[in-house]
Amino acid sequence: MAVHEDIRENMRRGLTEMLLLCLLRESDKYGYQLLSELNERTSGVFKVTLASLYGPLYRFLSKGYVTETRVAAGQKRFRNYYHLTEDGEAYYQIMVEEYKRTYLQINKLIGWKGD
């Protein structure tokens, strides 16, 4: 059903950036690794395409929240590893606090106590 997918996509879009930063807090990662871990660790709820992954990563780079290191991954292949900076960590912490504050109030409004 198209409406169901629209709702799901709108809800995920705002959380994807926070989850990408969360993964980068653990260790430096390259694009496909971020996609795989995000999909696996959210039980498939956050399936992000490569095209939609690089938008947030480029924004993070331009704001200084992550840095990028190119590493050889074969004779003619390279991987760009992303590293969370101190500014990125601070931004992540603000996002998490806003997430908690927002979703606490939403859960109160809709009467959801969690599983």
Side-chain angles (χ1 to χ4, degrees):
M1 175 179 232
V3 172
H4 184 74
E5 186 56 36
D6 285 347
I7 291 169
R8 182 180 301 146
E9 181 61 28
N10 286 334
M11 294 181 83
R12 282 189 301 224
R13 188 176 301 126
L15 298 173
T16 300
E17 287 190 3
M18 182 177 67
L19 297 176
L20 290 173
L21 292 175
C22 180
L23 291 173
L24 289 172
R25 290 179 79 223
E26 298 170 355
S27 65
D28 296 356
K29 293 178 176 34
Y30 59 95
Y32 184 77
Q33 186 179 14
L34 284 166
L35 292 181
S36 296
E37 286 191 30
L38 189 58
N39 181 40
E40 180 182 317
R41 294 174 64 183
T42 63
S43 301
V45 171
F46 282 85
K47 289 183 182 176
V48 178
T49 65
L50 273 175
S52 60
L53 170 73
Y54 287 104
L57 287 175
Y58 293 149
R59 280 192 298 280
F60 294 157
L61 283 164
S62 71
K63 293 181 179 184
Y65 299 154
V66 300
T67 58
E68 179 180 46
T69 303
R70 191 173 188 182
V71 176
Q75 286 185 344
K76 296 183 181 183
R77 293 181 41 227
F78 293 90
R79 288 185 177 147
N80 292 328
Y81 281 83
Y82 298 93
H83 171 80
L84 187 67
T85 65
E86 286 183 28
D87 287 345
E89 173 66 28
Y91 181 70
Y92 170 77
Q93 292 300 328
I94 293 167
M95 289 179 84
V96 168
E97 288 307 312
E98 186 61 26
Y99 168 84
K100 289 176 183 177
R101 189 178 70 79
T102 301
Y103 282 89
L104 176 66
Q105 298 309 314
I106 289 170
N107 290 341
K108 284 181 185 178
L109 179 64
I110 66 175
W112 186 62
K113 307 272 190 244
D115 292 347

